[in-house]
Amino acid sequence: MIAVNLMWDGTLDQRRTLAALAADQRVDFGIIIGPATDGRLASQRLGTLAILIDTAVGRREPDNTEVLVSLETARRITDASLVYVLDRRGVVVACTPYDGDKTLTGEDYSFRPYFREALAGQQSVYPALGVTTGVRGLYFSAALRTEENQPPVGVVVVKAGRSEGRLI
């Protein structure tokens, strides 16, 4: 188990993200088992957050503050290298920054299997070299849905990369 330090400001979306992750018994108030397991869990749980869905369908601006707080909280909890939201077309509409201030926002990943599988309603785990970052990782993705049994409106992705000396 690893401990996670968070910048906690108590926003509603942060609380919802933590509550969703804590619903799985492997998560206990900031203590998690490992990035590979948590990437799958996090992508699944994040797929139900209204702020991510609203951003994917365009009711919120790309990279709005609330969605970035939720994604960054999930990134820190899971020790992921990136967490991002793609709209139904496969274009990134929100992304945690990497390498300082770089972001994937605006990039089109509709060609990636993890996007196509999640949009088809399947959870996906896809090992690959990042086409933009150039960094290897495991991409965990899940559909964003407005209601159960409805077509996905987007996809959320958790990318696990280097973690505590391990290279994926």
Side-chain angles (χ1 to χ4, degrees):
M1 295 185 116
I2 58 173
V4 177
N5 295 317
L6 295 174
M7 287 182 56
W8 176 256
D9 64 10
T11 63
L12 182 58
D13 279 332
Q14 257 190 351
R15 291 193 309 268
R16 285 182 180 156
T17 300
L18 290 173
L21 290 169
D24 187 277
Q25 294 188 10
R26 292 171 293 190
V27 180
D28 185 20
F29 299 104
I31 309 267
I32 55 179
I33 291 174
T37 301
D38 296 322
R40 180 176 293 174
L41 171 65
S43 66
Q44 181 180 20
R45 299 291 192 218
L46 287 168
T48 64
L49 287 181
I51 188 71
L52 274 64
I53 293 165
D54 288 348
T55 303
V57 299
R59 287 192 291 257
R60 298 270 192 143
E61 300 235 354
D63 283 338
N64 64 79
T65 302
E66 295 85 3
V67 79
L68 290 178
V69 167
S70 295
L71 297 179
E72 181 62 22
T73 300
R75 188 195 66 76
R76 288 176 186 225
I77 288 172
T78 60
D79 194 28
S81 57
L82 287 170
V83 181
Y84 52 101
V85 175
L86 299 103
D87 66 15
R88 188 163 176 69
R89 298 168 300 144
V91 175
V92 178
V93 293
C95 179
T96 56
Y98 68 96
D99 287 345
D101 62 349
K102 295 179 185 175
T103 182
L104 303 179
T105 302
E107 297 289 335
D108 183 344
Y109 295 114
S110 59
F111 64 94
R112 287 291 216 173
Y114 63 78
F115 170 75
R116 292 193 316 265
E117 290 170 6
L119 204 59
Q122 306 164 353
Q123 265 199 304
S124 178
V125 180
Y126 180 70
L129 180 66
V131 295
T132 305
T133 65
V135 176
R136 290 183 202 275
L138 279 177
Y139 294 79
F140 300 90
S141 63
L144 292 169
R145 297 177 190 274
T146 55
E147 294 180 33
E148 198 169 328
N149 300 323
Q150 293 296 316
V153 297
V155 171
V156 61
V157 179
V158 176
K159 179 184 179 184
R162 293 177 187 245
S163 178
E164 298 181 1
R166 293 186 316 182
L167 178 62
I168 294 175

